[in-house]
C-alpha cells in the first residue's frame, strides 16, 4: 500500500541518516587511533586502520586515512589501493590540493579541520566533506577522518 511504501521510505531515510558520522565521533576516533598507533606500533596500527573488517576503525561512514608529510598514503580505511601512493598532486572536484592542504594544517598547528568536496564511498556521489587531521606526535605523519554533510 501507499502508506507502507511511504513508511518504508521514511524509515529507510532515517536509517541512512543514522549511518552518518559526527564531528565528535571523528575526533574521538582519530584520538583513539593515535593512542593505538603508540601502543601497537606503526606497522600493526596502519594495518588495523586499513582493515575494512575491523569495526573499531570503521564506524558508520567514518574511516581513517594516514599520510606522511610528503603526501604518501600509509593507511586507508576505504581504499587500500591508495596505500604507498604519492598523492601530492591529488585535487578535489572543487580544485584544492587535498593532501598538500592537510599536510599544511598538521605541520603548522598539529591538528585541524579542512572542508572540501569528495565522493562518498557508499553513495559514490560528490558531497561536502569535513575532515579532521592530526599529527602523530614525534613523527612527520598524520591521521585523519571525516564526515560527509
Amino acid at each position: 500500500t501507499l502508506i507502507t511504501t511511504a513508511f518504508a521510505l521514511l524509515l529507510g531515510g532515517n536509517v541512512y541518516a543514522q549511518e552518518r558520522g559526527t564531528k565528535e565521533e571523528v575526533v574521538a576516533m582519530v584520538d583513539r587511533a593515535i593512542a593505538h598507533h603508540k601502543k601497537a606500533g606503526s606497522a600493526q596500527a596502519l594495518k588495523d586502520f586499513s582493515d575494512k573488517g575491523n569495526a573499531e576503525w570503521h564506524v558508520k561512514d567514518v574511516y581513517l586515512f594516514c599520510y606522511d608529510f610528503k603526501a604518501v598514503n600509509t593507511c586507508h580505511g576505504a581504499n587500500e589501493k591508495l596505500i604507498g601512493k604519492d598523492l601530492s598532486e591529488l585535487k578535489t572536484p572543487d580544485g584544492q590540493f587535498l593532501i598538500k592542504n592537510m599536510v599544511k594544517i598538521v605541520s603548522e598547528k598539529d591538528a585541524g579541520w579542512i572542508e572540501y568536496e569528495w565522493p562518498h564511498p557508499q553513495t559514490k556521489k560528490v558531497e561536502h566533506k569535513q575532515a579532521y587531521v592530526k599529527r602523530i606526535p614525534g613523527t612527520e605523519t598524520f591521521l585523519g577522518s571525516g564526515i560527509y554533510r
Side-chain angles (χ1 to χ4, degrees):
T1 69
L2 183 58
I3 293 171
T4 305
T5 304
F7 181 73
L9 287 171
L10 185 64
L11 183 63
N14 190 25
V15 168
Y16 179 71
Q18 290 174 351
E19 292 176 351
R20 297 277 175 141
T22 66
K23 286 179 112 174
E24 295 78 17
E25 288 170 319
V26 163
V27 171
M29 183 182 287
V30 169
D31 287 343
R32 278 195 331 272
I34 288 176
H36 180 65
H37 186 274
K38 182 178 182 179
K39 182 180 174 190
S42 183
Q44 183 61 51
L46 297 176
K47 184 178 172 190
D48 293 344
F49 302 153
S50 297
D51 177 3
K52 288 183 183 177
N54 189 329
E56 184 175 1
W57 310 115
H58 295 81
V59 179
K60 302 177 186 175
D61 63 349
V62 176
Y63 57 88
L64 293 164
F65 51 83
C66 321
Y67 290 87
D68 66 22
F69 280 20
K70 294 177 183 165
V72 174
N73 183 279
T74 57
C75 85
H76 206 287
N79 187 353
E80 286 186 8
K81 292 176 185 167
L82 295 176
I83 298 170
K85 301 235 186 298
D86 176 350
L87 298 174
S88 58
E89 297 303 310
L90 179 68
K91 284 188 178 181
T92 63
D94 57 342
Q96 293 186 57
F97 281 106
L98 182 57
I99 310 308
K100 283 181 181 176
N101 289 345
M102 290 179 177
V103 169
K104 186 174 194 281
I105 290 168
V106 296
S107 61
E108 290 177 357
K109 54 183 179 180
D110 290 333
W113 288 91
I114 183 172
E115 295 188 30
Y116 55 100
E117 300 296 313
W118 199 249
H120 191 290
Q122 293 170 358
T123 67
K124 308 301 184 215
K125 293 180 181 160
V126 173
E127 298 184 30
H128 184 74
K129 186 171 185 177
Q130 294 175 295
Y132 178 71
V133 290
K134 187 170 185 177
R135 183 180 194 152
I136 298 172
T139 72
E140 289 200 347
T141 58
F142 68 91
L143 282 162
S145 186
I147 53 170
Y148 293 87
R149 288 287 153 239

